[in-house]
Amino acid sequence: VVDNGTPIDVAALFRIDEHAGAAQYTIAGGTGTGTLNGAALTVTKVGTFQIRVTTEISGVYDAGSATAIMRVTRNACDGSEHCPTYVLKDAWYHEDADFVVENGYMIGISTEPPVFAPEGNMTRAQTIQTLYQMEGRPAYTETAGYPDVSEDQWFADAVNWGTEHGIIQGRDTGVFDPDANITREELVTILYRYAKEFKGLSVETEAGIPASFTDGDKVGDFAVDAFAWAIDQGIINGVTETTLEPQTLSRRCEMAKIIASLCAAYPEVP
């Protein structure tokens, strides 16, 4: 893990035998970008990088390759007006809001003037749009056909993509209900499906919901595994030390924290 803007000696990530052929380095992965100058990398954006070295054939060795994964985080914010969420610099979620805004995972509810609305509730549409943004707005093959989602709505592509991959589902009545606020147990279940079904990540845990949460029995059956996984991975915490409040509505500031924690727990995300 390195800070944005820190020069990296890429050659130090690998041990290359002196008799190997010439080595070339390439960068790929995530939303991160960087520049290579010989074996020196200067990171220019937060994200996850895959650094790959490939050696040419030599008189001693065949051609070979190896990879290294590097997660790049923000420098600690200096509280200046250059900060993406400067107006939130004293809030507990400030760095998390910076992370999701700078990477384009979450946008404000208004751009002129910019308004992040941290205390606002997350809706179903906003939730799947966030994951869609994280994945770089990928293509999908079929429309979901919800009667309350038209092609010209800002969240339509995200809903179609999320439904196609089993990340999000419609209501029992057949509608999507995009403007409905989302509860904590609904949110964690969507993240669980995203990690397991779409990203193919390991979400198995034997921990269960810790007994220290006195309202653990209030979690819906559909969300028990999701909560156990998210707590075990440090992706979500209780509202208090002893309560999960699974039916409480999720706020935008909490979503920023959860997304930042998800990305920290899994280098493969986004």
Side-chain angles (χ1 to χ4, degrees), residues 119-201:
E119 299 297 331
N121 293 325
M122 285 293 294
T123 66
R124 285 168 54 81
Q126 291 171 348
T127 299
I128 195 60
Q129 182 70 32
T130 298
L131 298 180
Y132 187 58
Q133 295 284 133
M134 287 172 61
E135 288 299 321
R137 302 176 63 87
Y140 53 89
T141 58
E142 296 181 4
T143 58
Y146 298 115
D148 55 346
V149 178
S150 59
E151 292 184 8
D152 59 348
Q153 289 176 293
W154 59 268
F155 51 80
D157 288 343
V159 170
N160 290 328
W161 166 79
T163 302
E164 181 173 270
H165 291 285
I167 300 169
I168 199 165
Q169 300 170 353
R171 302 295 197 190
D172 291 341
T173 57
V175 301
F176 181 73
D177 205 8
D179 296 326
N181 295 326
I182 198 164
T183 65
R184 284 168 53 82
E185 64 181 1
E186 290 172 334
L187 173 59
V188 77
T189 300
I190 290 171
L191 293 176
Y192 181 76
R193 293 192 198 117
Y194 166 75
K196 181 181 180 179
E197 305 298 337
F198 183 74
K199 301 297 287 187
L201 303 176

Side-chain angles (χ1 to χ4, degrees), residues 14-268:
F14 305 92
R15 185 179 65 84
I16 302 175
D17 190 281
E18 62 180 341
H19 299 295
Q24 294 184 334
Y25 299 90
T26 57
I27 310 172
T31 57
T33 59
T35 55
L36 272 178
N37 180 10
L41 167 71
T42 300
V43 177
T44 58
K45 189 175 181 181
V46 297
T48 300
F49 294 83
Q50 182 185 79
I51 313 297
R52 184 178 184 86
V53 58
T54 302
T55 58
E56 297 177 354
I57 191 171
S58 71
V60 179
Y61 298 112
D62 292 334
S65 64
T67 59
I69 299 294
M70 180 167 56
R71 173 164 292 284
V72 182
T73 60
R74 280 187 53 84
N75 289 317
C77 179
D78 59 7
S80 72
E81 294 185 5
H82 299 292
C83 168
T85 58
Y86 168 72
V87 295
L88 306 176
K89 61 184 177 65
D90 296 322
W92 62 265
Y93 48 78
H94 173 219
E95 290 191 0
D96 303 313
D98 273 0
F99 177 77
V100 295
V101 170
E102 187 170 55
N103 281 289
Y105 301 157
M106 293 178 69
I107 57 177
I109 62 172
S110 171
T111 56
E112 293 296 336
V115 177
F116 187 72
E119 299 297 331
N121 293 325
M122 285 293 294
T123 66
R124 285 168 54 81
Q126 291 171 348
T127 299
I128 195 60
Q129 182 70 32
T130 298
L131 298 180
Y132 187 58
Q133 295 284 133
M134 287 172 61
E135 288 299 321
R137 302 176 63 87
Y140 53 89
T141 58
E142 296 181 4
T143 58
Y146 298 115
D148 55 346
V149 178
S150 59
E151 292 184 8
D152 59 348
Q153 289 176 293
W154 59 268
F155 51 80
D157 288 343
V159 170
N160 290 328
W161 166 79
T163 302
E164 181 173 270
H165 291 285
I167 300 169
I168 199 165
Q169 300 170 353
R171 302 295 197 190
D172 291 341
T173 57
V175 301
F176 181 73
D177 205 8
D179 296 326
N181 295 326
I182 198 164
T183 65
R184 284 168 53 82
E185 64 181 1
E186 290 172 334
L187 173 59
V188 77
T189 300
I190 290 171
L191 293 176
Y192 181 76
R193 293 192 198 117
Y194 166 75
K196 181 181 180 179
E197 305 298 337
F198 183 74
K199 301 297 287 187
L201 303 176
S202 174
V203 295
E204 301 303 322
T205 177
E206 298 179 358
I209 296 177
S212 57
F213 292 112
T214 58
D215 59 351
D217 60 339
K218 301 295 193 298
V219 175
D221 291 344
F222 69 90
V224 170
D225 289 346
F227 255 123
W229 160 74
I231 294 168
D232 186 55
Q233 294 296 322
I235 295 168
I236 196 168
N237 299 314
V239 175
T240 70
E241 291 184 357
T242 59
T243 59
L244 287 174
E245 298 189 21
Q247 285 83 44
T248 295
L249 298 179
S250 298
R251 297 176 297 164
R252 288 172 56 81
C253 58
E254 293 168 333
M255 181 65 166
K257 174 66 174 177
I258 289 169
I259 292 300
S261 298
L262 176 65
C263 292
Y266 290 96
E268 304 93 329

